Amino acid sequence: MNKINDNQVITSIEIMKQEHEEIRRMLKIIRKACNRILQGEPINFEHFKMIIDFIMNYADSHHHGKEEKFLFAEMENRLGPLGSKLIRNGMYVEHDLGRLYVKELGEALERVKEGDEESKLDVIANAVSYTHLLERHIAKENEVVYGFGISKLPVDVLEAINQQTAFFEEEAADKGIQIKYLEILKILEAIY
């Protein structure tokens, strides 16, 4: 587990909630970038490349990766039909829908690059749909799903999730994942 100081340990849930705040910051950037398109500015393809990179590799692979591999897997396996339904029919479905919006966003950007002006609608539609989905998804996880997991999973399982998360975070830090994507966030926030 990550330590703030000698007396306080950061749990996996606290890490995931902090990442939610970072993802929310990117959602604001996405909306502002879409508003600029709406105002008639040309699409900045380099900025959208950075946005998609952040979504795919930080929000999805890094953040959702921890949820799916550790917390959600335990909730689905240990909390009976309610836990399974919440995770399989709720969280996983929303993760997959987010991936679809990002895939469609990338394809729309390519069409615009090739001269299809009408595809700007698809850029905005998919990007904004992603922001709406993630805002609701994050609220559900913060307000319901995480608390349900904490209250229902055995302490030893929660401790194992914390250890797995700490190891995952250390491996990511060794690869520079957190630094890279938080830097992308700062760069884009300075522009948008």
Side-chain angles (χ1 to χ4, degrees):
M1 285 176 278
N2 295 335
K3 291 195 175 230
I4 296 173
N5 58 46
D6 290 334
N7 300 322
Q8 191 174 9
V9 174
I10 303 173
T11 68
S12 58
I13 299 296
E14 291 167 330
I15 291 168
M16 290 179 210
K17 284 184 173 183
Q18 177 58 46
E19 290 169 350
H20 279 167
E21 292 312 305
E22 293 152 358
I23 293 165
R24 279 184 163 146
R25 289 167 55 196
M26 181 58 77
L27 299 179
K28 290 177 184 173
I29 291 165
I30 293 168
R31 288 189 61 84
K32 289 178 181 180
C34 287
N35 189 47
R36 287 189 183 183
I37 298 168
L38 210 55
Q39 301 302 320
E41 290 185 26
I43 292 176
N44 188 311
F45 293 104
E46 186 58 34
H47 293 170
F48 270 96
K49 181 179 175 185
M50 293 166 72
I51 288 167
I52 290 172
D53 184 18
F54 180 95
I55 292 169
M56 291 177 70
N57 294 300
Y58 188 76
D60 196 23
S61 294
H62 183 73
H63 174 74
H64 291 159
K66 282 193 297 276
E67 288 176 335
E68 291 177 1
K69 289 177 188 173
F70 310 135
L71 178 63
F72 291 173
E74 292 292 353
M75 290 176 72
E76 185 177 13
N77 291 331
R78 294 176 180 269
L79 301 184
L82 180 58
S84 182
K85 184 176 181 180
L86 174 66
I87 300 306
R88 184 152 303 282
N89 300 337
M91 301 302 97
Y92 289 158
V93 168
E94 291 178 2
H95 285 183
D96 285 343
L97 184 55
R99 292 174 186 128
L100 175 63
Y101 286 139
V102 174
K103 176 183 171 289
E104 295 287 330
L105 170 60
E107 291 172 0
L109 286 163
E110 288 303 314
R111 289 193 306 273
V112 174
K113 277 185 191 176
E114 294 167 4
D116 180 1
E117 285 293 305
E118 189 174 322
S119 286
K120 287 180 181 179
L121 290 171
D122 299 312
V123 169
I124 294 170
N126 284 290
V128 171
S129 293
Y130 178 81
T131 67
H132 288 171
L133 172 70
L134 262 284
E135 283 290 351
R136 289 188 305 274
H137 180 77
I138 287 169
K140 272 188 254 184
E141 287 179 341
N142 284 353
E143 297 166 17
V144 178
V145 177
Y146 292 165
F148 182 66
I150 289 169
S151 70
K152 299 296 182 187
L153 288 171
V155 171
D156 63 318
V157 172
L158 291 170
E159 288 173 358
I161 292 168
N162 287 340
Q163 290 172 350
Q164 291 168 319
T165 299
F167 183 71
F168 187 97
E169 287 291 313
E170 287 172 17
E171 283 187 328
D174 289 345
K175 296 174 187 172
I177 298 294
Q178 297 93 325
I179 290 171
K180 175 183 177 179
Y181 291 104
L182 295 179
E183 184 61 27
I184 285 174
L185 195 55
K186 287 180 193 172
I187 290 167
L188 291 175
E189 281 179 324
I191 298 165
Y192 294 95

